[in-house]
Amino acid sequence: MTTNYKLSICLLVLVVASAVATVFVKHSSRAMFVELQALQRQFDEMQIEWNKLQLEESTWATHDRVRSIAVKRLGLYMPPGDAVVLVGSP
């Protein structure tokens, strides 16, 4: 074999290896992009759920609701003004 023939074979192998590597990298890139989109969709769904939970929490914790439950279920009441004693610094 001549040196040019060996060099040509070597270059052909390197070109084929480069082509296979390019296809592999492109395929991996597309697969990761699809996974990224799925994770972003999941993140958006979780953000929506989180916002709904925050709204629900603020609804359950309103002062009127707490006061209503304190009166109806626990029998609590607001004492008359003369029965209230403030404790603390003036």
Side-chain angles (χ1 to χ4, degrees):
M1 285 195 196
T2 65
T3 306
N4 286 339
Y5 183 72
K6 289 180 183 178
L7 182 61
S8 295
I9 295 294
C10 183
L11 289 175
L12 178 63
V13 169
L14 290 173
V15 167
V16 170
S18 174
V20 170
T22 301
V23 170
F24 176 75
V25 167
K26 189 71 171 175
H27 173 72
S28 296
S29 173
R30 287 181 179 162
M32 284 188 263
F33 182 72
V34 168
E35 183 181 0
L36 174 65
Q37 286 182 322
L39 290 172
Q40 284 176 333
R41 250 190 321 277
Q42 185 180 6
F43 176 78
D44 290 341
E45 291 169 2
M46 288 182 170
Q47 280 294 110
I48 291 169
E49 181 68 21
W50 174 247
N51 291 337
K52 286 179 182 178
L53 289 171
Q54 285 181 317
L55 179 62
E56 183 178 353
E57 179 186 30
S58 67
T59 301
W60 284 100
T62 61
H63 292 294
D64 290 336
R65 183 175 185 285
V66 171
R67 186 176 311 146
S68 172
I69 290 173
V71 170
K72 291 177 184 173
R73 292 186 189 170
L74 302 176
L76 301 179
Y77 62 93
M78 181 62 82
D82 58 348
V84 176
V85 177
L86 297 177
V87 178
S89 60

